Structure formats: C-alpha cells, structure tokens
Amino acid sequence: MTIQHIAVLFGGKSTEYGVSLQSAASVIDHLDRSKYAVIMLGITREGAWYRYNGSTDEIRNDRWHYHASCIPAFLSPSRSIAGIVELTGTEYRTVSVDAVIPVLHGRNGEDGTVQGLLELSGIPFIGCDTMSSAISMDKAIASTLVRAAGIQTAASVTVWESEDWEAAAGEAMKLGFPLYVKPSRSGSSFGITKAYDLAALLQGIREAFSHDGKVIIEQNIDGFEVGCAVLGSGEEPFIAEIDEIELAGEFFDYDEKYSLRTSQIRLPARLEAGIAEQVRAAAQIIYKTLGCSGLARVDMFVTNDGRIVFNEVNTMPGFTASSRYPNMMRHSGVSYPQLMDRLIEQAIAGKERAR
Ligand SMILES: Nc1ncnc2c1ncn2[C@@H]1O[C@H](COP(=O)(O)OP(=O)(O)O)[C@@H](O)[C@H]1O
Ligand SMILES: [Mg+2]
C-alpha cells in the first residue's frame, strides 16, 4: 500500500487559534501512520506559516512555534507544485501533498479563504469548498438562505459598522427582549451577548463590532440546542446520532463550551422519534442549501412547542477526542481513525471540484 502524504493545517489568524490547536493535535494523533505520512503546517496568531516537526503536546500547549524544527513553509497555489514550499535561507524545497486537512476554526481558515487557496492548488482537501465555507461562516447570509429554503430561523436585524446602530437597535427591540447580539462571522461564542434591555443591546453591538464589521441581532429562541454531525456529499449524506446541549446557565458561552462546568452534552438527544426524524431532515436540507460537502455540524434549536429553528452551521467543528462531532460519529459506529479515513477518501474521490 502506498503511503499518502497528508498535510494538517493548524492554528490560524483567528480568535479561535487556541481551539484549533486542540482540534488539530487530536486529528494528528488519530491519523493511522501505516497509511499516512503527516506533514504539520502551523499558522501563528499573526498569520505566519511554518512546517513543524515536533510532538502534538507542543501544539496543545502552544509552544510549537518555539520548536527548532520550524521552518517557513506555505501551500503553493501553483498546480505545478501541488504541495508545499519550504524555505531555508535563500533555498527552497517543494514537498508534494496528497490531501490537506485544514483544521482551522473561524476567520482566515474556516471562512473560505484557505479553501480558495486549496482549490487553486488542485490538492484535494477535506471539508466544504470555498463558497459553502464562506456562506456558512456568515450567520446573516446563512440564515437568509436557510429561511428561503423553508426552514425556520430566528427573526433578526443585521447592521454594518458604517450604519446607524441606534436605528438598528430600535428595529431589533421590536422583536422583543431578550436579544442575542452576535458578530456575523465568528465562533466559539466570541463577542456574543444576550441583552435584556436597550443599554445592554447597545453595549452588545459595540462589543460585537470589536470582532466583526457586521453584526446580527436575533430574537431569543426558547428551547434547547441540538447538533447533527453530517458526513459526505450528494443526496444522502450520513447523519450520526443527534446530540443535545443541556444548559444550566444563560447560554453556551466560551467558558461553558470548553469547561462544561454547569452544562452537559447529552448523546443521544432527548427527542421523540418523530422530532428526531424532522431534525435530521432539516439538517439535510440546510447542508444542501449551504452547499456543504465532506463534513459539517448543523446546529438547530428545538423549541418547547416542538418547532425546529436553524441556528448555525460549523464547517470545521471542534475536533478533539471529546468534541461533539467525533463523539456523535463514534456513537453511530464510526471511530475517530475511521472518520479520518473516510474524510480523506472522500476528499481524494471528490478531487474534480478543483477544476
Ligand atoms: N437566537 C438564539 N436564541 C437562543 N439562544 C441562542 C440564540 N443564538 C445563540 N444562542 C446561544 O448562544 C450560543 C452561541 O451562539 P452561536 O450562534 O451558536 O455562535 P457560535 O458560532 O459562536 O457558536 C448558542 O450555542 C446558544 O446557546
Ligand atoms: Mg454555535
């Protein structure tokens, strides 16, 4: 059997840099070394690219960039290279790559930017393409498209930094408090506020603008959040067992997501069979509407009166060994190493997207 050269991208110029380090270290640890030679490419918080050859522990504790093995390296958009370029002084060396796993969360990685580079390079890569990564990243655009596809979404108001915030706040107030204020393109709950009055709403808008120039203000959905791990492409992608976030506090903020101090993830979700079926059907429509391929985690709310309301799609969900996406897959009989095999196979089989 020939060994495939798999490049794993980690870090990235994003507020979710630290989350990516945890996800990528797990991905690297779970790649079967009898099948794959792993090429690690780290991107610092400042956006500098290095090839790294140390342990995954040094990635987890964010010391990888001090490691002696680091050499400047980057993915080339040139199809004649179809791999990475490493620089040592004034010399360069190219290394060909069979597939790329971009384990990057948030801006400059999960938002179509890196996917664009990968499409130019012609190298197969796992996950969604440029367009679907970009539209899934933008909560305002994603919910507009999903609503047009007939799935319910939270009523919302979108405002750009150059616009009149107070007018937008006035418009949003008509939806009724509490309101969620979110940077349109962010993740891990960074910059999100739940506002109960006008002062908190204005403060929330200011806070959200420090993360993104576009802000979405959403009506609160009463109910609980569920997730669908979707794998594959085409008419019938595989959807694993649904999970549920059981919240004790206000909302699933950054601290709760990564500590689970008061909340817990229930797998399987406590849903009646009929509702679970509707959740899966909605996830499939959302995945298709946003043009997803490879994988995505589709998040929805199930309201107290049994309605399904779209929340968001994560095209590169958390990928640690205890993260929701790998857990849902494991629960449905796909182990972490098998998941990696499938994702790589799919990427290589779907190479024609890099036309
Ligand atoms: N409209 C809403 N109604 C109720 N809860 C919400 C709403 N929007 C967000 N939340 C809560 O805030 C959390 C983070 O929001 P989300 O849109 O998923 O952003 P992120 O991309 O940062 O995960 C959700 O997991 C949920 O707990
Ligand atoms: Mg979320």
Side-chain angles (χ1 to χ4, degrees), residues 107-321:
R107 300 292 279 275
N108 301 309
E110 191 183 351
D111 60 352
T113 48
V114 166
Q115 289 72 18
L117 171 60
L118 287 164
E119 281 176 33
L120 289 174
S121 77
I123 310 168
F125 61 97
I126 73 145
C128 297
D129 67 7
T130 305
M131 169 75 104
S132 106
S133 300
I135 60 184
S136 300
M137 187 77 222
D138 189 318
K139 292 182 164 72
I141 292 176
S143 53
T144 302
L145 292 173
V146 166
R147 197 177 311 131
I151 306 281
Q152 292 185 47
T153 61
S156 67
V157 170
T158 301
V159 56
W160 291 89
E161 205 163 5
S162 57
E163 290 174 345
D164 182 345
W165 308 5
E166 288 190 10
E171 228 9 73
M173 270 171 62
K174 294 182 192 159
L175 303 173
F177 287 109
L179 290 164
Y180 275 89
V181 191
K182 315 179 187 181
S184 198
R185 298 156 293 192
S186 188
S188 290
S189 299
F190 281 117
I192 299 184
T193 313
K194 187 175 183 181
Y196 284 87
D197 55 35
L198 180 59
L201 175 58
L202 290 170
Q203 182 52 38
I205 295 174
R206 184 165 298 112
E207 167 65 20
F209 276 135
S210 70
H211 293 261
D212 189 5
K214 184 182 185 186
V215 164
I216 178 167
I217 309 165
E218 275 181 14
Q219 188 176 47
N220 174 64
I221 302 298
D222 270 323
F224 57 93
E225 192 174 355
V226 294
C228 279
V230 189
L231 174 66
S233 309
E235 281 305 313
E236 294 275 322
F238 175 69
I239 303 182
E241 185 68 71
I242 304 163
D243 78 356
E244 169 195 341
I245 302 168
E246 187 183 6
L247 284 181
E250 277 291 328
F251 75 99
F252 210 37
D253 62 14
Y254 180 83
D255 192 44
E256 270 304 317
K257 272 184 184 163
Y258 300 106
S259 70
L260 291 174
R261 230 187 304 281
T262 64
S263 351
Q264 56 170 316
I265 306 295
R266 289 194 174 260
L267 177 63
R270 294 165 297 177
L271 295 172
E272 284 168 27
I275 303 275
E277 234 3 88
Q278 289 174 40
V279 167
R280 279 170 204 279
Q284 192 171 321
I285 293 170
I286 294 163
Y287 191 81
K288 199 174 153 198
T289 299
L290 300 183
C292 298
S293 56
L295 83 151
R297 199 187 73 223
V298 180
D299 294 344
M300 290 151 283
F301 299 105
V302 176
T303 63
N304 301 334
D305 54 355
R307 287 177 304 118
I308 294 159
V309 180
F310 172 69
N311 180 29
E312 61 152 348
V313 166
N314 295 284
T315 54
M316 182 47 70
F319 242 88
T320 71

